[in-house]
Amino acid sequence: MKFLLSLLIFSISLTINAQDLKSPSEFLGYELGTQFTRHHRVVDYYEYLAKTESTRVQLENYGETNEGRPLFLAYISSSENIKNLDNIQQEHLKNTEGQGNPTTAIVWMSYNVHGNESVSTEASMKTVYELLTNKSEYLKNTVVIIDPCMNPDGRERYVNWYYQFKNSPNTVDPNSKEHHEPWLNGRANHYMFDLNRDWAWLTQAESQQRIKLYNKWLPHVHVDFHEQGVDNPYYFAPAAEPFHEVITDFQREFQTTVGKNHAKYFDANGWFYFTKEVFDLLYPSYGDTYPTYNGSIGMTYEQGGSGRAGLAVTTSLGDTLTLKDRVLHHHTTGLSTLEIASQNALQLNQEFKKFYQPKNYKYKSYVLNGNPDKLTALTKLLEQHEIEYGWATGKTAKGLNYSTGKNSPIKTSKNTLVIGTDQKKSTLVKVLFEPSTKLSDSLTYDITAWSLPYAYGLEAVASETKVNASLDANKTASPVPENSNINKETYAFIAEWNSFSDAQFLAELLNNNIKIRHAKKPFGLDGKQYERGSLIITKADNKSNPDFLSTLSAVATKHAKKLKATLTGFVDDGKDFGSDSVQPLKQVKVALLSGKPTSTLNFGEIWHFFEQQLQYPVTILDTDYFKNINLSEYDILILPDGNNYTKFFSTRRMDELKDWINDGGKLIALGGALKALSKEDKFKLKPKETDKDSIALVPIYDHNERDQIRNEITGAIFKTKVDHTHPLAYGYADSYFSLKLGGAAYNYLDKGTVVYLDSESTTPAAGFAGSEAQDKIGETLVFGVEEYGNGQLIYFVDNPLFRGFWENGKLFFANALFMVD
Ligand SMILES: [Zn+2]
């Protein structure tokens, strides 16, 4: 009786609490969906929930954005579950080891990864409130993890812009400025990276910080909330083909189970929706595929809206789409997902356990050799994904060779990296490492090849038998060397030039005003051979710098660089250090063009490359005021990919540019910028003539979101030839695997064709390329340098900095900055 009474009092107090709990509208002081909520107010509401409902809501901060905004998760469940959250988590993770007997469903819902798809964060608040009040029964057996805003910088950019240009009251006329975002729109993060392409590559601060918590939970269900074009009806699971072959029958079926439940609500309300179209499950770096390859039911939901929609907008059908509608739809699918997860909690747990049982994938081990810096860069990525790796214990490994596409053995040593598929993350390993991905449909939303041995420029085989390896957690491919030889007696120090890590080392030396030369010819010294590009740091060049030795020592240690000290500049063979063939490297002053017509994504990739990867200063020049700039202040101007550069280059501007190059300026051009330059008679770059119209490697859907990413879709890996005697290719071997994103084709240059496809190498090593596109790219330039007066034009037909993950392309870009002269 006493127990019953206290239970009664307890439940009354719960009811009162629930009634007292302020809805988002009550808390914010306006009806949800009538305004956009600033990020700090979103944080306030979640903090209010955590304080008021402390037994059922917990917040966890997981980091900060580039612009200093907080990133956090909210855990929502019953008081009982929140009290036992650690146990629930441990029991759940035991399932990945084939142990444990968990019964709780774990559902993770991610909102607003694209900043201008701004309804998501609003909807998250409504969904949490509903869960804590009318739908709390779901919480009995479900832990809900909500990321209210994955991309606060992008969202705030959009919301801030919108309020600057919103009509008062807002207008539904789609022509009004409030419906036309500027060049720098809110979709991407601070560095213009699309965070929904970054789950596997983890190049961005937001992704790097999030993945730590994601791996601590590995939810049963992950939903990524998006928006698409204003005129599109709602999209939800099941996804479109192609599905990656690793996706299990249960993962497919459950997508349909979820979709049918959503349909029930949408049908009852008379709302339009579509499924099984457009959004496929292949490219591994999305918020639906990445979770799927980690055992989750990963899904993308798309509301019609995005940055175009504002608070309300007239659609092409003449309907008015309001933010309130958009909130309601995302709210409905969110709750419906939780309903289904709660109803199927046991099955989700059982199937999740099955997903993590040993898989009998064809390839048992991936075996990689190569430059220690590249191996280290790869192992850092593996660690972030909690993928286990080891070091070979045998002498050879045989299997499919990535370079030749044939079965052939490679030699192994204790520095050979081995990644097995007999581990927890076997599915993710297969997806990221297999030589080529099986395509059930070549029409896909994104690139069709990404295999990491190609991206990192490593020699590799995929072995059908397990290759023995030792799991030495303390071993690294590039240990910090001693460099005890840095002392006053030395004439010069030599460092090799083989990897992007070497370029980071150089950049930091230059930033510290250390004077450096580089060898333009190979040379031998003290029985060791050095290749072109090797860095030579002499005492004589730095005699006026009192901190020379201590700075050099500190920077070498930081970058784990082994310096060879020599007491003489007299080489055994090749050119002595005083020769014309040993040239100083300049502390170049670099300008990067931004604004229309440059591509925000490619601009961002280059910006991020300088600041977060190379760590070398760059000045950003906007096209708006470019005409006022005295270009002679800069050694290098970079033109990112972009559409319609022709307008930017008026005759007068082209003449100014030619004068600047003629006087010694270095122009680096990527993608679409090449098109405009190829129209200038004086430049030698010319498009390859073809009798067919321009061909995209993969047909493009007539779809708004696809239109936005037209420059990034498609993508296949080609084996190109390299003239590594050219400064643009110092540090490379005679072939390079390039990720080709489109069918742009330029003829060889008379001189300066450095990386190229010949007529035989037009079949991709991995990924899809149509037969006509293959014809077109035969005998074309990939990267090249045109000498013009005292300066150069450096052409990047392919993008070596694509999404920041093509590790082996980055040294080309560094060579363009420092080595080409
Ligand atoms: Zn989106």
Side-chain angles (χ1 to χ4, degrees):
M1 183 63 194
K2 204 177 161 191
F3 173 73
L4 270 182
L5 194 67
S6 62
L7 198 70
L8 191 68
I9 292 166
F10 181 64
S11 52
I12 288 169
S13 71
L14 256 190
T15 319
I16 289 169
N17 257 338
Q19 280 170 354
D20 282 353
L21 189 67
K22 287 182 188 166
S23 69
S25 302
E26 287 163 342
F27 181 85
L28 297 166
Y30 51 82
E31 198 186 346
L32 201 68
T34 60
Q35 292 190 31
F36 288 112
T37 309
R38 303 268 183 179
H39 188 254
H40 71 277
R41 293 294 286 152
V42 176
V43 176
D44 287 348
Y45 185 60
Y46 277 89
E47 281 178 347
Y48 160 77
L49 292 177
K51 205 171 134 199
T52 315
E53 281 284 353
S54 59
T55 61
R56 295 195 291 161
V57 181
Q58 263 184 23
L59 302 187
E60 184 170 14
N61 191 288
Y62 68 84
E64 213 175 64
T65 66
N66 289 297
E67 295 173 17
R69 294 187 179 89
L71 295 161
F72 68 100
L73 298 178
Y75 299 90
I76 303 111
S77 197
S78 66
S79 307
E80 196 65 29
N81 289 337
I82 290 292
K83 218 190 304 168
N84 288 317
L85 201 56
D86 289 347
N87 286 336
I88 290 172
Q89 182 184 22
Q90 281 161 25
E91 204 60 23
H92 167 64
L93 289 179
K94 276 187 198 164
N95 250 349
T96 65
E97 312 283 351
Q99 296 154 13
N101 220 352
T103 53
T104 310
I106 316 286
V107 181
W108 183 309
M109 302 209 287
S110 293
Y111 292 89
N112 234 139
V113 63
H114 292 143
N116 59 0
E117 298 169 8
S118 49
V119 63
S120 296
T121 297
E122 309 290 340
S124 84
M125 292 188 279
K126 186 172 170 71
T127 300
V128 178
Y129 177 74
E130 244 351 74
L131 269 177
L132 292 169
T133 53
N134 298 321
K135 299 291 180 189
S136 59
E137 76 264 21
Y138 301 161
L139 300 178
K140 281 183 196 146
N141 67 348
T142 306
V143 170
V144 182
I145 304 171
I146 284 188
D147 190 334
C149 190
M150 299 165 80
N151 178 12
D153 291 351
R155 180 185 162 85
E156 280 301 280
R157 187 185 312 127
Y158 171 73
V159 171
N160 201 46
W161 167 83
Y162 181 76
Y163 279 116
Q164 284 173 23
F165 292 103
K166 182 176 90 61
N167 292 94
S168 245
N170 62 295
T171 175
V172 295
D173 180 354
N175 294 327
S176 200
K177 180 154 177 158
E178 66 171 272
H179 300 294
H180 293 265
E181 276 189 282
W183 176 79
L184 194 52
N185 65 37
R187 178 182 171 91
N189 77 346
H190 173 78
Y191 281 109
M192 303 284 100
F193 271 66
D194 184 335
L195 294 177
N196 192 34
R197 304 293 186 279
D198 194 47
W199 280 77
W201 320 135
L202 301 172
T203 66
Q204 298 303 298
E206 292 88 346
S207 317
Q208 289 161 3
Q209 297 172 99
R210 184 196 331 114
I211 202 72
K212 291 179 193 157
L213 284 186
Y214 191 85
N215 271 319
K216 286 206 174 85
W217 279 101
L218 298 172
H220 297 120
V221 177
H222 181 263
V223 183
D224 205 24
F225 289 88
H226 286 261
E227 286 190 271
Q228 49 186 337
V230 162
D231 293 327
N232 290 295
Y234 200 97
Y235 163 84
F236 50 72
E241 291 291 341
F243 277 45
H244 197 290
E245 61 175 327
V246 296
I247 296 172
T248 66
D249 290 345
F250 172 73
Q251 285 176 316
R252 281 176 178 263
E253 285 156 19
F254 204 78
Q255 289 227 345
T256 305
T257 307
V258 173
K260 284 190 172 160
N261 204 54
H262 296 347
K264 192 175 78 188
Y265 294 105
F266 276 58
D267 289 342
N269 284 293
W271 298 334
F272 287 103
Y273 57 88
F274 67 101
T275 65
K276 305 180 284 286
E277 290 178 68
V278 184
F279 303 98
D280 61 68
L281 292 175
L282 192 72
Y283 173 74
S285 218
Y286 286 133
D288 52 15
T289 47
Y290 183 86
T292 300
Y293 304 151
N294 283 280
S296 188
I297 311 299
M299 294 175 291
T300 291
Y301 297 168
E302 298 263 359
Q303 165 63 39
S306 300
R308 264 295 257 164
L311 290 177
V313 69
T314 305
T315 69
S316 63
L317 286 175
D319 289 339
T320 303
L321 175 68
T322 66
L323 182 61
K324 272 163 81 175
D325 296 333
R326 292 151 63 199
V327 169
L328 193 56
H329 301 161
H330 264 351
H331 170 67
T332 302
T333 53
L335 281 184
S336 164
T337 305
L338 295 171
E339 180 183 34
I340 279 292
S342 171
Q343 282 170 8
N344 295 279
L346 274 181
Q347 194 190 12
L348 284 170
N349 275 287
Q350 287 160 0
E351 292 291 339
F352 184 76
K353 192 177 201 168
K354 270 195 216 162
F355 182 91
Y356 277 95
Q357 276 161 13
K359 298 259 172 67
N360 190 23
Y361 288 131
K362 179 179 168 192
Y363 295 120
K364 303 293 184 282
S365 298
Y366 296 98
V367 185
L368 300 100
N369 277 332
N371 175 278
D373 296 333
K374 293 177 187 174
L375 288 170
T376 300
L378 179 57
T379 54
K380 277 185 187 155
L381 181 69
L382 297 179
E383 280 159 19
Q384 288 175 285
H385 289 301
E386 300 189 2
I387 290 172
E388 281 178 5
Y389 59 87
W391 305 94
T393 52
K395 293 213 167 95
T396 59
K398 59 179 184 215
L400 185 78
N401 188 304
Y402 282 66
S403 182
T404 60
K406 292 178 184 128
N407 274 305
S408 57
I410 58 169
K411 280 189 182 149
T412 60
S413 72
K414 62 183 190 333
N415 295 322
T416 300
L417 184 65
V418 179
I419 301 129
T421 51
D422 56 340
Q423 62 170 300
K424 198 169 119 173
K425 296 278 186 144
S426 60
T427 298
L428 187 61
V429 169
K430 172 182 159 65
V431 171
L432 297 180
F433 281 88
E434 63 188 343
S436 64
T437 301
K438 189 176 164 189
L439 288 172
S440 62
D441 182 347
S442 55
L443 263 175
T444 165
Y445 198 84
D446 211 284
I447 58 173
T448 53
W450 49 78
S451 182
L452 290 180
Y454 293 124
Y456 280 75
L458 294 163
E459 185 195 12
V461 295
S463 171
E464 293 183 37
T465 53
K466 184 176 157 69
V467 173
N468 288 329
S470 68
L471 299 172
D472 180 354
N474 295 318
K475 182 178 159 65
T476 155
S478 28
V480 178
E482 288 228 349
N483 284 326
S484 53
N485 50 7
I486 298 186
N487 60 52
K488 279 184 268 177
E489 318 312 319
T490 308
Y491 180 85
F493 302 92
I494 310 165
E496 292 182 11
W497 185 258
N498 292 316
S499 68
F500 180 60
S501 164
D502 294 334
Q504 291 171 313
F505 170 62
L506 169 65
E508 187 155 359
L509 290 178
L510 290 172
N511 290 342
N512 281 284
N513 298 314
I514 302 284
K515 304 271 186 282
I516 305 147
R517 295 174 187 241
H518 73 293
K520 297 189 91 58
K521 303 267 191 244
F523 65 93
L525 186 71
D526 295 340
K528 195 171 165 7
Q529 200 63 26
Y530 295 91
E531 295 305 319
R532 291 180 181 85
S534 296
L535 305 178
I536 296 164
I537 309 152
T538 66
K539 200 168 67 181
D541 279 336
N542 292 283
K543 61 178 180 289
S544 60
N545 181 349
D547 303 324
F548 168 55
L549 290 177
S550 58
T551 304
L552 180 62
S553 174
V555 176
T557 302
K558 181 179 162 191
H559 293 272
K561 293 301 158 207
K562 178 82 188 150
L563 298 179
K564 161 79 183 158
T566 169
L567 301 174
T568 177
F570 188 100
V571 298
D572 301 341
D573 59 81
K575 307 286 182 183
D576 294 330
F577 293 176
S579 155
D580 249 9
S581 294
V582 177
Q583 284 289 324
L585 287 168
K586 205 171 164 192
Q587 204 172 347
V588 285
K589 207 167 168 210
V590 187
L592 167 62
L593 193 70
S594 74
K596 274 185 180 168
T598 70
S599 141
T600 54
L601 291 168
N602 191 222
F603 160 74
E605 284 159 356
I606 300 166
W607 183 19
H608 184 264
F609 173 82
F610 275 96
E611 293 188 354
Q612 299 296 324
Q613 301 175 55
L614 188 63
Q615 301 191 332
Y616 190 82
V618 63
T619 297
I620 294 168
L621 301 179
D622 206 89
T623 47
D624 276 355
Y625 59 83
F626 187 79
K627 64 175 189 300
N628 304 328
I629 299 298
N630 179 5
L631 260 189
S632 67
E633 289 175 31
Y634 302 94
D635 301 301
I636 297 176
L637 172 65
I638 303 172
L639 307 180
D641 183 23
N643 286 323
N644 219 354
Y645 259 104
T646 314
K647 261 187 214 155
F648 173 74
F649 281 120
S650 60
T651 311
R652 191 175 147 194
R653 182 163 289 159
M654 193 60 100
D655 286 344
E656 286 166 2
L657 195 75
K658 280 189 290 194
D659 289 346
W660 172 76
I661 302 170
N662 194 46
D663 291 346
K666 190 153 70 175
L667 187 77
I668 300 177
L670 291 94
L674 273 63
K675 201 171 157 186
L677 296 171
S678 72
K679 288 183 180 153
E680 168 56 44
D681 290 342
K682 291 268 168 59
F683 298 148
K684 302 233 165 65
L685 181 77
K686 293 293 165 253
K688 183 177 170 184
E689 295 300 332
T690 164
D691 43 357
K692 300 195 175 66
D693 293 338
S694 76
I695 302 155
L697 287 184
V698 173
I700 295 161
Y701 283 100
D702 179 18
H703 183 274
N704 279 341
E705 180 137 328
R706 287 196 176 218
D707 284 348
Q708 286 171 18
I709 60 163
R710 184 172 297 182
N711 291 318
E712 343 153 33
I713 60 163
T714 78
I717 300 168
F718 292 83
K719 187 177 184 176
T720 66
K721 294 207 155 61
V722 179
D723 170 9
H724 57 82
T725 64
H726 194 286
L728 186 63
Y730 284 172
Y732 284 90
D734 54 11
S735 67
Y736 164 73
F737 287 93
S738 191
L739 183 65
K740 219 171 224 320
L741 302 168
Y746 293 91
N747 293 326
Y748 293 160
L749 300 166
D750 294 344
K751 253 180 77 187
T753 297
V754 183
V755 180
Y756 55 98
L757 285 163
D758 63 18
S759 56
E760 267 112 57
S761 50
T762 61
T763 310
F768 172 80
S771 56
E772 290 184 355
Q774 290 186 32
D775 287 347
K776 194 183 166 195
I777 58 170
E779 294 184 4
T780 60
L781 185 72
V782 177
F783 307 143
V785 180
E786 178 178 340
E787 301 289 335
Y788 186 89
N790 292 316
Q792 297 91 17
L793 296 108
I794 303 177
Y795 302 120
F796 286 102
V797 180
D798 294 351
N799 176 6
L801 305 181
F802 182 66
R803 293 180 189 164
F805 89 101
W806 205 259
E807 184 69 20
N808 200 31
K810 295 174 187 174
L811 186 62
F812 280 117
F813 211 83
N815 281 334
L817 299 174
F818 301 118
M819 295 292 173
V820 175
D821 57 8

